Amino acid sequence: QPALGCVYKLVEINNKPTIKVSNDLSKTTIPCAKQPYRLISAHGLMLLDLLVPTNHAAPEIGERILCRHPFDHQKKAYVTPAKVIPLHKLVYDGGATEAVQSRPSLDDIKNYVEKQLRLVRYDILRSLNPTPYKVSVSPQLFSFFVGLLESNEPIRELVA
C-alpha cells in the first residue's frame, strides 16, 4: 500500500493545451495553464475562486465579471470583487535547480491559512447543510474548454 497517492492531470504540453475526456464530465480536465484568483466581497468575505488562462488579464477590483461553472453551462453568476487575491506563486520554473523565490516559513504559512479561514462565509463552514464553495472559470476559459471538449469527444454512430 502506498503511503501517498496522487493523480497528475496534464493540461498543457509545450504551451499547447491538452484535455482528458471522460464519460464522467467532472473527471474531464480543464485545459491550458491557469491562474487562480480568490474574489472577495465588499464585506471582506470569499465569494469564489476564479480560474483564468495565464495569458489573460487578472480580474480587476470593481469590475463586473461573469463567472461560469466549468461543467454546467446553466450555472453562472456575475461578481464584482472588492478585492482580488492571486492564489498561485511560481516557486520553481521548469528544470531550474534554484527556487524562483524563497519559501515562506511555517509561521508565515500558518498565519496565511488562519487569515484565509477568517474570510470564509458562515454558510460554507456550518456543519449542517454547508454551501459548497464555488470554483468558477472565466468566460474565455469556458468557451475554450467547451470548444476543445466538443472537438475531442467521440461521436457515436447509430446503426439500425
Side-chain angles (χ1 to χ4, degrees):
Q1 291 291 333
L4 173 67
C6 69
V7 175
Y8 182 78
K9 303 235 177 176
L10 186 64
V11 295
E12 202 170 85
I13 299 174
N14 296 326
N15 297 321
K16 183 179 178 200
T18 63
I19 189 169
K20 179 196 119 199
V21 179
S22 173
N23 287 333
D24 181 353
L25 191 56
S26 66
K27 291 184 178 180
T28 298
T29 58
I30 301 173
C32 79
K34 297 167 281 300
Q35 174 67 39
Y37 296 94
R38 180 154 295 146
L39 306 185
I40 308 296
S41 74
H43 300 290
L45 299 174
M46 293 179 185
L47 293 167
L48 54 81
D49 289 353
L50 181 68
L51 299 176
V52 177
T54 54
N55 59 353
H56 285 80
E60 293 191 25
I61 295 170
E63 176 187 311
R64 187 175 181 229
I65 304 163
L66 177 61
C67 300
R68 306 287 309 253
H69 186 286
F71 304 112
D72 187 342
H73 72 279
Q74 294 179 325
K75 291 184 179 180
K76 51 191 168 186
Y78 282 107
V79 172
T80 304
K83 185 175 182 182
V84 176
I85 303 171
L87 297 177
H88 180 261
K89 293 180 182 167
L90 185 64
V91 177
Y92 287 97
D93 189 11
T97 56
E98 295 295 319
V100 174
Q101 63 180 347
S102 62
R103 292 184 292 178
S105 70
L106 287 177
D107 282 337
D108 290 340
I109 293 169
K110 178 183 174 223
N111 292 335
Y112 174 79
V113 170
E114 288 173 347
K115 182 178 177 183
Q116 292 299 301
L117 285 172
R118 287 192 295 275
L119 302 177
V120 181
R121 297 188 329 258
Y122 167 76
D123 61 310
I124 293 170
L125 291 176
R126 67 182 172 218
S127 57
L128 182 62
N129 196 22
T131 302
Y133 186 69
K134 292 173 181 55
V135 177
S136 299
V137 296
S138 67
Q140 300 88 347
L141 182 54
F142 181 82
S143 296
F144 180 72
F145 173 50
V146 169
L148 197 58
L149 183 62
E150 287 179 353
S151 68
N152 282 280
E153 280 181 325
I155 300 172
R156 290 179 277 173
E157 187 167 329
L158 299 178
V159 179

